[in-house]
Amino acid sequence: MIAFRRPTLADREQLQPIFLAAEYRGCEYSFTNIFLWGQQQFAIVEGELVLFSHWDGRSMYVYPGKRNLQKIIDALSADAEERGIPLRLYGLCAECVQELERLYPGRFGFSPNRDGFDYLYDIDRLTGLKGKKLQQKRNHINRFIENHPDWYTRPITKENLDECRALAADWYRLHADGEKDWTLEKVAISRAFDAFEDLGLEGLALYTEDGMVAMTMGNRLRTDTFDVNFEKSYADIHGAYPLINREFARLIHEKYPEIRYLNREEDMGLPGLRKSKLSYHPDELLEKYRGYLRLEVTL
């Protein structure tokens, strides 16, 4: 059985370079996200990093890197058998599906995970919001500025982390009766606040005359991609969401000119969130699939 274990902050130095060098831009392949979300585990198999996660009562393995792929899949299959669980893989891109079918013809079934597709945006578009397609975003921002002419932003630091915690707590209180159970995310964002500096997270807070009204935070996902992990704002403050989005894109673009994409992660199948993310017209909707050994399990 593979000796998977939970990551600690001390593991970041070893694992972060592996994540940064990966070609795949999916947000689940990230030290920050495996540390923050749920009870995810990792191990090194055949010289490659492999991840083991548990979601919705199911255990799944993240699709591994390309080196020694067949040996790793075989090792994961043996591990699943020893644990008495079906072999499920997630985080497969379209190319990965073809690759797995080539190595194991007919042995795997696949299912698209639309709720888990990542939204990738060219950072240059988000810093300027130019063009007719994004006119409405500019209008919302202009209205915010008209209503709050003294607005300003501040980077998130240990000095204003408690304000961010308070805003997040208020956001979850206001959404407690909504369409989603936010328990897992509440745990994840609490971990993010606790380990903000150790995880290398960066963030921005938006203020008006009434105090903090929006905050966002993220971390470098790949050498050319930045991941936006969390974004919270009061929904009744018109234009706050598009403004914090734009200002954070500008901050990251100025600080890291080599960053080409912002990954704003998935929509979790929430209609409102999907509509919002599509309204920015993503440059890539990163498709993800789940794979499973046929005759063993259905998704």
Side-chain angles (χ1 to χ4, degrees):
M1 190 177 294
I2 298 172
F4 287 101
R5 66 175 177 85
R6 282 283 292 149
T8 67
L9 290 173
D11 294 314
R12 184 174 183 269
E13 183 177 0
Q14 174 196 4
L15 299 183
Q16 183 71 352
I18 299 174
F19 287 116
L20 290 178
E23 296 179 11
Y24 177 59
R25 292 193 176 93
C27 65
E28 69 276 2
Y29 201 71
S30 155
F31 179 82
T32 294
N33 282 337
I34 68 169
F35 181 84
L36 295 180
W37 287 89
Q39 297 298 318
Q40 302 188 72
Q41 302 173 62
F42 80 96
I44 303 297
V45 178
E46 297 291 338
E48 287 282 351
L49 177 66
V50 294
L51 307 176
F52 187 41
S53 300
H54 313 277
W55 299 108
D56 300 325
R58 294 169 174 158
S59 297
M60 294 178 277
Y61 304 86
V62 175
Y63 193 72
K66 293 184 177 181
R67 291 189 309 153
N68 302 315
L69 179 60
Q70 191 160 9
K71 289 184 178 180
I72 295 173
I73 297 295
D74 290 344
L76 296 182
S77 179
D79 184 76
E81 185 174 357
E82 288 185 65
R83 294 176 189 274
I85 61 174
L87 175 61
R88 295 185 181 96
L89 303 171
Y90 79 100
L92 285 77
C93 61
E95 180 184 339
C96 296
V97 169
Q98 296 174 0
E99 191 173 47
L100 199 57
E101 180 61 23
R102 178 180 59 81
L103 290 173
Y104 301 91
R107 289 186 58 192
F108 279 86
F110 304 97
S111 174
N113 179 26
R114 175 59 183 87
D115 296 350
F117 286 11
D118 282 3
Y119 291 76
L120 272 66
Y121 305 86
D122 184 316
I123 195 170
D124 287 332
R125 286 201 312 107
L126 294 190
T127 60
L129 298 174
K130 297 178 181 179
K132 291 183 179 180
K133 291 182 177 181
L134 297 175
Q135 177 66 53
Q136 191 175 42
K137 302 299 180 186
R138 299 196 300 274
N139 292 342
H140 291 323
I141 289 174
N142 290 336
R143 181 172 170 183
F144 179 95
I145 293 173
E146 289 174 4
N147 293 335
H148 308 282
D150 296 326
W151 70 275
Y152 61 96
T153 61
R154 285 181 181 166
I156 295 177
T157 65
K158 60 183 180 181
E159 280 72 31
N160 59 1
L161 265 178
D162 284 343
E163 288 182 89
C164 295
R165 288 180 190 271
L167 188 152
D170 208 21
W171 191 96
Y172 291 117
R173 178 185 62 80
L174 293 170
H175 291 78
D177 298 325
E179 56 190 339
K180 180 176 174 57
D181 180 355
W182 297 100
T183 301
L184 278 177
E185 186 179 291
K186 288 168 68 176
V187 172
I189 200 170
S190 178
R191 289 174 177 171
F193 289 138
D194 289 343
F196 187 83
E197 292 183 344
D198 291 330
L199 287 171
L201 288 165
E202 302 184 58
L204 191 68
L206 173 64
Y207 294 83
T208 68
E209 64 282 358
D210 296 320
M212 185 186 295
V213 297
M215 55 79 63
T216 185
M217 66 174 75
N219 74 111
R220 188 189 286 263
L221 185 67
R222 303 290 175 264
T223 53
D224 67 349
T225 306
F226 196 92
D227 188 20
V228 181
N229 299 110
F230 302 102
E231 184 179 84
K232 301 298 179 189
S233 174
Y234 291 111
D236 60 345
I237 300 182
H238 193 98
Y241 268 120
L243 183 55
I244 191 69
N245 185 334
R246 186 193 73 180
E247 293 303 297
F248 194 44
R250 288 180 173 180
L251 175 68
I252 297 304
H253 186 55
E254 180 178 355
K255 190 171 182 178
Y256 306 108
E258 67 275 17
I259 294 292
R260 294 180 55 203
Y261 300 101
L262 285 182
N263 182 331
R264 293 183 56 77
E265 299 196 349
E266 57 204 29
D267 61 38
M268 300 176 285
L270 301 177
L273 190 55
R274 180 168 297 182
K275 180 180 179 181
S276 174
K277 294 193 175 187
L278 287 173
S279 71
Y280 282 93
H281 302 279
D283 293 277
E284 181 181 355
L285 194 55
L286 182 61
E287 297 181 0
K288 297 179 186 177
Y289 296 82
R290 291 171 177 160
Y292 55 96
L293 277 177
R294 293 185 184 277
L295 305 180
E296 288 195 7
V297 65
T298 56
L299 294 185

